PDB file of all heavy atoms in Angstrom:
ATOM      1  N   VAL S  15      22.837  -0.703  13.873  1.00 93.00           N
ATOM      2  CA  VAL S  15      22.307  -0.839  12.510  1.00 93.00           C
ATOM      3  C   VAL S  15      23.159  -0.078  11.500  1.00 93.00           C
ATOM      4  O   VAL S  15      23.586  -0.630  10.484  1.00 93.00           O
ATOM      5  CB  VAL S  15      20.838  -0.356  12.471  1.00 93.00           C
ATOM      6  CG1 VAL S  15      20.315  -0.324  11.041  1.00 93.00           C
ATOM      7  CG2 VAL S  15      19.968  -1.268  13.314  1.00 93.00           C
ATOM      8  N   LEU S  16      23.422   1.201  11.745  1.00 96.00           N
ATOM      9  CA  LEU S  16      24.246   1.988  10.837  1.00 96.00           C
ATOM     10  C   LEU S  16      25.721   1.647  10.991  1.00 96.00           C
ATOM     11  O   LEU S  16      26.435   1.522   9.991  1.00 96.00           O
ATOM     12  CB  LEU S  16      24.034   3.476  11.094  1.00 96.00           C
ATOM     13  CG  LEU S  16      24.941   4.439  10.318  1.00 96.00           C
ATOM     14  CD1 LEU S  16      24.760   4.269   8.810  1.00 96.00           C
ATOM     15  CD2 LEU S  16      24.678   5.885  10.736  1.00 96.00           C
ATOM     16  N   GLY S  17      26.181   1.488  12.229  1.00 96.00           N
ATOM     17  CA  GLY S  17      27.594   1.237  12.468  1.00 96.00           C
ATOM     18  C   GLY S  17      28.109  -0.004  11.769  1.00 96.00           C
ATOM     19  O   GLY S  17      29.205   0.001  11.189  1.00 96.00           O
ATOM     20  N   VAL S 100      26.235  11.805  12.744  1.00 97.00           N
ATOM     21  CA  VAL S 100      24.969  11.577  12.039  1.00 97.00           C
ATOM     22  C   VAL S 100      23.819  12.013  12.941  1.00 97.00           C
ATOM     23  O   VAL S 100      23.693  11.575  14.078  1.00 97.00           O
ATOM     24  CB  VAL S 100      24.819  10.111  11.587  1.00 97.00           C
ATOM     25  CG1 VAL S 100      24.883   9.138  12.752  1.00 97.00           C
ATOM     26  CG2 VAL S 100      23.543   9.923  10.776  1.00 97.00           C
ATOM     27  N   SER S 101      22.996  12.918  12.427  1.00 96.00           N
ATOM     28  CA  SER S 101      21.864  13.466  13.154  1.00 96.00           C
ATOM     29  C   SER S 101      20.577  13.094  12.407  1.00 96.00           C
ATOM     30  O   SER S 101      20.580  12.198  11.561  1.00 96.00           O
ATOM     31  CB  SER S 101      22.024  14.983  13.300  1.00 96.00           C
ATOM     32  OG  SER S 101      21.019  15.540  14.112  1.00 96.00           O
ATOM     33  N   ALA S 135      19.921  12.624   8.516  1.00 97.00           N
ATOM     34  CA  ALA S 135      19.215  11.623   7.712  1.00 97.00           C
ATOM     35  C   ALA S 135      17.813  11.418   8.280  1.00 97.00           C
ATOM     36  O   ALA S 135      17.563  11.681   9.462  1.00 97.00           O
ATOM     37  CB  ALA S 135      19.978  10.302   7.720  1.00 97.00           C
ATOM     38  N   THR S 136      16.907  10.960   7.448  1.00 96.00           N
ATOM     39  CA  THR S 136      15.569  10.634   7.920  1.00 96.00           C
ATOM     40  C   THR S 136      15.600   9.278   8.628  1.00 96.00           C
ATOM     41  O   THR S 136      16.632   8.619   8.703  1.00 96.00           O
ATOM     42  CB  THR S 136      14.560  10.620   6.762  1.00 96.00           C
ATOM     43  OG1 THR S 136      15.018   9.701   5.753  1.00 96.00           O
ATOM     44  CG2 THR S 136      14.407  12.007   6.152  1.00 96.00           C
ATOM     45  N   GLU S 137      14.453   8.833   9.152  1.00 94.00           N
ATOM     46  CA  GLU S 137      14.379   7.575   9.881  1.00 94.00           C
ATOM     47  C   GLU S 137      14.746   6.400   8.969  1.00 94.00           C
ATOM     48  O   GLU S 137      14.365   6.355   7.802  1.00 94.00           O
ATOM     49  CB  GLU S 137      12.963   7.355  10.435  1.00 94.00           C
ATOM     50  CG  GLU S 137      12.575   8.315  11.542  1.00 94.00           C
ATOM     51  CD  GLU S 137      12.042   9.633  11.019  1.00 94.00           C
ATOM     52  OE1 GLU S 137      12.039   9.823   9.790  1.00 94.00           O
ATOM     53  OE2 GLU S 137      11.624  10.475  11.836  1.00 94.00           O
ATOM     54  N   PHE S 138      15.453   5.432   9.540  1.00 95.00           N
ATOM     55  CA  PHE S 138      15.832   4.245   8.782  1.00 95.00           C
ATOM     56  C   PHE S 138      14.611   3.336   8.578  1.00 95.00           C
ATOM     57  O   PHE S 138      13.702   3.289   9.403  1.00 95.00           O
ATOM     58  CB  PHE S 138      16.908   3.440   9.510  1.00 95.00           C
ATOM     59  CG  PHE S 138      18.197   4.189   9.740  1.00 95.00           C
ATOM     60  CD1 PHE S 138      19.084   3.763  10.719  1.00 95.00           C
ATOM     61  CD2 PHE S 138      18.540   5.297   8.985  1.00 95.00           C
ATOM     62  CE1 PHE S 138      20.276   4.432  10.938  1.00 95.00           C
ATOM     63  CE2 PHE S 138      19.718   5.976   9.191  1.00 95.00           C
ATOM     64  CZ  PHE S 138      20.591   5.541  10.182  1.00 95.00           C
ATOM     65  N   HIS S 139      14.644   2.576   7.486  1.00 96.00           N
ATOM     66  CA  HIS S 139      13.602   1.582   7.258  1.00 96.00           C
ATOM     67  C   HIS S 139      13.481   0.627   8.452  1.00 96.00           C
ATOM     68  O   HIS S 139      12.368   0.228   8.822  1.00 96.00           O
ATOM     69  CB  HIS S 139      13.918   0.758   6.002  1.00 96.00           C
ATOM     70  CG  HIS S 139      13.835   1.530   4.723  1.00 96.00           C
ATOM     71  ND1 HIS S 139      12.909   2.520   4.494  1.00 96.00           N
ATOM     72  CD2 HIS S 139      14.564   1.436   3.582  1.00 96.00           C
ATOM     73  CE1 HIS S 139      13.071   3.014   3.268  1.00 96.00           C
ATOM     74  NE2 HIS S 139      14.068   2.376   2.702  1.00 96.00           N
ATOM     75  N   ASP S 140      14.622   0.256   9.041  1.00 93.00           N
ATOM     76  CA  ASP S 140      14.601  -0.686  10.164  1.00 93.00           C
ATOM     77  C   ASP S 140      13.791  -0.130  11.335  1.00 93.00           C
ATOM     78  O   ASP S 140      13.033  -0.862  11.991  1.00 93.00           O
ATOM     79  CB  ASP S 140      16.034  -0.977  10.628  1.00 93.00           C
ATOM     80  CG  ASP S 140      16.930  -1.461   9.511  1.00 93.00           C
ATOM     81  OD1 ASP S 140      17.298  -0.641   8.652  1.00 93.00           O
ATOM     82  OD2 ASP S 140      17.258  -2.657   9.499  1.00 93.00           O
ATOM     83  N   LEU S 141      13.973   1.148  11.625  1.00 91.00           N
ATOM     84  CA  LEU S 141      13.232   1.772  12.713  1.00 91.00           C
ATOM     85  C   LEU S 141      11.748   1.856  12.372  1.00 91.00           C
ATOM     86  O   LEU S 141      10.874   1.633  13.222  1.00 91.00           O
ATOM     87  CB  LEU S 141      13.791   3.166  13.003  1.00 91.00           C
ATOM     88  CG  LEU S 141      13.180   3.916  14.180  1.00 91.00           C
ATOM     89  CD1 LEU S 141      13.380   3.156  15.478  1.00 91.00           C
ATOM     90  CD2 LEU S 141      13.773   5.321  14.291  1.00 91.00           C
ATOM     91  N   MET S 142      11.456   2.158  11.113  1.00 93.00           N
ATOM     92  CA  MET S 142      10.069   2.218  10.680  1.00 93.00           C
ATOM     93  C   MET S 142       9.401   0.856  10.844  1.00 93.00           C
ATOM     94  O   MET S 142       8.247   0.767  11.293  1.00 93.00           O
ATOM     95  CB  MET S 142      10.039   2.635   9.202  1.00 93.00           C
ATOM     96  CG  MET S 142       8.729   3.219   8.743  1.00 93.00           C
ATOM     97  SD  MET S 142       8.472   4.848   9.453  1.00 93.00           S
ATOM     98  CE  MET S 142       7.192   4.500  10.618  1.00 93.00           C
ATOM     99  N   LEU S 143      10.118  -0.210  10.525  1.00 94.00           N
ATOM    100  CA  LEU S 143       9.575  -1.555  10.678  1.00 94.00           C
ATOM    101  C   LEU S 143       9.263  -1.852  12.142  1.00 94.00           C
ATOM    102  O   LEU S 143       8.237  -2.460  12.462  1.00 94.00           O
ATOM    103  CB  LEU S 143      10.571  -2.584  10.130  1.00 94.00           C
ATOM    104  CG  LEU S 143      10.186  -4.054  10.317  1.00 94.00           C
ATOM    105  CD1 LEU S 143       8.870  -4.369   9.621  1.00 94.00           C
ATOM    106  CD2 LEU S 143      11.304  -4.958   9.798  1.00 94.00           C
ATOM    107  N   GLN S 164       9.537   9.897   5.423  1.00 95.00           N
ATOM    108  CA  GLN S 164      10.385   9.681   4.257  1.00 95.00           C
ATOM    109  C   GLN S 164      11.540   8.736   4.636  1.00 95.00           C
ATOM    110  O   GLN S 164      12.698   9.121   4.605  1.00 95.00           O
ATOM    111  CB  GLN S 164      10.938  11.023   3.761  1.00 95.00           C
ATOM    112  CG  GLN S 164      11.500  10.997   2.358  1.00 95.00           C
ATOM    113  CD  GLN S 164      11.798  12.396   1.845  1.00 95.00           C
ATOM    114  OE1 GLN S 164      11.525  13.402   2.499  1.00 95.00           O
ATOM    115  NE2 GLN S 164      12.367  12.477   0.656  1.00 95.00           N
ATOM    116  N   PRO S 165      11.215   7.495   5.016  1.00 96.00           N
ATOM    117  CA  PRO S 165      12.246   6.591   5.527  1.00 96.00           C
ATOM    118  C   PRO S 165      13.320   6.287   4.485  1.00 96.00           C
ATOM    119  O   PRO S 165      13.050   6.211   3.292  1.00 96.00           O
ATOM    120  CB  PRO S 165      11.463   5.337   5.913  1.00 96.00           C
ATOM    121  CG  PRO S 165      10.215   5.390   5.090  1.00 96.00           C
ATOM    122  CD  PRO S 165       9.891   6.838   4.952  1.00 96.00           C
ATOM    123  N   VAL S 166      14.539   6.114   4.987  1.00 97.00           N
ATOM    124  CA  VAL S 166      15.697   5.909   4.127  1.00 97.00           C
ATOM    125  C   VAL S 166      16.358   4.577   4.464  1.00 97.00           C
ATOM    126  O   VAL S 166      16.295   4.113   5.604  1.00 97.00           O
ATOM    127  CB  VAL S 166      16.706   7.074   4.298  1.00 97.00           C
ATOM    128  CG1 VAL S 166      17.324   7.079   5.683  1.00 97.00           C
ATOM    129  CG2 VAL S 166      17.791   7.038   3.221  1.00 97.00           C
ATOM    130  N   ASP S 167      16.975   3.976   3.494  1.00 97.00           N
ATOM    131  CA  ASP S 167      17.668   2.712   3.718  1.00 97.00           C
ATOM    132  C   ASP S 167      19.010   2.960   4.397  1.00 97.00           C
ATOM    133  O   ASP S 167      19.751   3.875   4.023  1.00 97.00           O
ATOM    134  CB  ASP S 167      17.888   1.985   2.389  1.00 97.00           C
ATOM    135  CG  ASP S 167      18.341   0.558   2.599  1.00 97.00           C
ATOM    136  OD1 ASP S 167      17.507  -0.273   3.029  1.00 97.00           O
ATOM    137  OD2 ASP S 167      19.528   0.274   2.367  1.00 97.00           O
ATOM    138  N   VAL S 168      19.321   2.143   5.394  1.00 97.00           N
ATOM    139  CA  VAL S 168      20.569   2.341   6.133  1.00 97.00           C
ATOM    140  C   VAL S 168      21.775   2.186   5.226  1.00 97.00           C
ATOM    141  O   VAL S 168      22.823   2.811   5.448  1.00 97.00           O
ATOM    142  CB  VAL S 168      20.639   1.374   7.338  1.00 97.00           C
ATOM    143  CG1 VAL S 168      20.787  -0.071   6.880  1.00 97.00           C
ATOM    144  CG2 VAL S 168      21.759   1.756   8.283  1.00 97.00           C
ATOM    145  N   VAL S 171      22.563   5.503   3.713  1.00 98.00           N
ATOM    146  CA  VAL S 171      23.198   6.390   4.684  1.00 98.00           C
ATOM    147  C   VAL S 171      24.645   5.972   4.923  1.00 98.00           C
ATOM    148  O   VAL S 171      25.543   6.815   5.003  1.00 98.00           O
ATOM    149  CB  VAL S 171      22.415   6.396   6.008  1.00 98.00           C
ATOM    150  CG1 VAL S 171      23.083   7.332   7.023  1.00 98.00           C
ATOM    151  CG2 VAL S 171      20.977   6.836   5.777  1.00 98.00           C
ATOM    152  N   ALA S 172      24.892   4.675   5.009  1.00 98.00           N
ATOM    153  CA  ALA S 172      26.257   4.187   5.219  1.00 98.00           C
ATOM    154  C   ALA S 172      27.160   4.551   4.041  1.00 98.00           C
ATOM    155  O   ALA S 172      28.337   4.889   4.236  1.00 98.00           O
ATOM    156  CB  ALA S 172      26.251   2.678   5.438  1.00 98.00           C
ATOM    157  N   PHE S 245      10.772   1.871   0.876  1.00 96.00           N
ATOM    158  CA  PHE S 245      10.371   0.986   1.963  1.00 96.00           C
ATOM    159  C   PHE S 245       9.842  -0.332   1.405  1.00 96.00           C
ATOM    160  O   PHE S 245      10.090  -1.404   1.971  1.00 96.00           O
ATOM    161  CB  PHE S 245       9.312   1.670   2.831  1.00 96.00           C
ATOM    162  CG  PHE S 245       8.975   0.908   4.080  1.00 96.00           C
ATOM    163  CD1 PHE S 245       9.926   0.699   5.066  1.00 96.00           C
ATOM    164  CD2 PHE S 245       7.693   0.403   4.281  1.00 96.00           C
ATOM    165  CE1 PHE S 245       9.627  -0.002   6.224  1.00 96.00           C
ATOM    166  CE2 PHE S 245       7.379  -0.294   5.440  1.00 96.00           C
ATOM    167  CZ  PHE S 245       8.348  -0.493   6.407  1.00 96.00           C
ATOM    168  N   TYR S 248      12.777  -2.451   0.567  1.00 95.00           N
ATOM    169  CA  TYR S 248      13.356  -2.971   1.805  1.00 95.00           C
ATOM    170  C   TYR S 248      12.552  -4.166   2.319  1.00 95.00           C
ATOM    171  O   TYR S 248      13.117  -5.202   2.696  1.00 95.00           O
ATOM    172  CB  TYR S 248      13.386  -1.849   2.838  1.00 95.00           C
ATOM    173  CG  TYR S 248      13.573  -2.293   4.258  1.00 95.00           C
ATOM    174  CD1 TYR S 248      14.834  -2.603   4.765  1.00 95.00           C
ATOM    175  CD2 TYR S 248      12.474  -2.383   5.121  1.00 95.00           C
ATOM    176  CE1 TYR S 248      14.997  -3.007   6.084  1.00 95.00           C
ATOM    177  CE2 TYR S 248      12.633  -2.770   6.435  1.00 95.00           C
ATOM    178  CZ  TYR S 248      13.888  -3.090   6.915  1.00 95.00           C
ATOM    179  OH  TYR S 248      14.042  -3.481   8.222  1.00 95.00           O
ATOM    180  N   TYR S 263      13.807  -4.150  16.246  1.00 51.00           N
ATOM    181  CA  TYR S 263      14.976  -3.319  15.944  1.00 51.00           C
ATOM    182  C   TYR S 263      16.042  -3.577  16.993  1.00 51.00           C
ATOM    183  O   TYR S 263      15.748  -3.599  18.171  1.00 51.00           O
ATOM    184  CB  TYR S 263      14.528  -1.859  16.003  1.00 51.00           C
ATOM    185  CG  TYR S 263      15.489  -0.822  15.512  1.00 51.00           C
ATOM    186  CD1 TYR S 263      15.714  -0.620  14.154  1.00 51.00           C
ATOM    187  CD2 TYR S 263      16.147   0.001  16.408  1.00 51.00           C
ATOM    188  CE1 TYR S 263      16.562   0.372  13.716  1.00 51.00           C
ATOM    189  CE2 TYR S 263      16.997   0.998  15.970  1.00 51.00           C
ATOM    190  CZ  TYR S 263      17.203   1.173  14.623  1.00 51.00           C
ATOM    191  OH  TYR S 263      18.050   2.171  14.185  1.00 51.00           O
TER     192      TYR S 263
END
Side-chain angles (χ1 to χ4, degrees):
V15 173
L16 174 60
V100 59
S101 186
T136 56
E137 291 84 356
F138 299 160
H139 292 324
D140 305 73
L141 184 61
M142 201 71 252
L143 176 60
Q164 196 170 356
V166 67
D167 192 72
V168 68
V171 180
F245 188 64
Y248 163 81
Y263 190 76

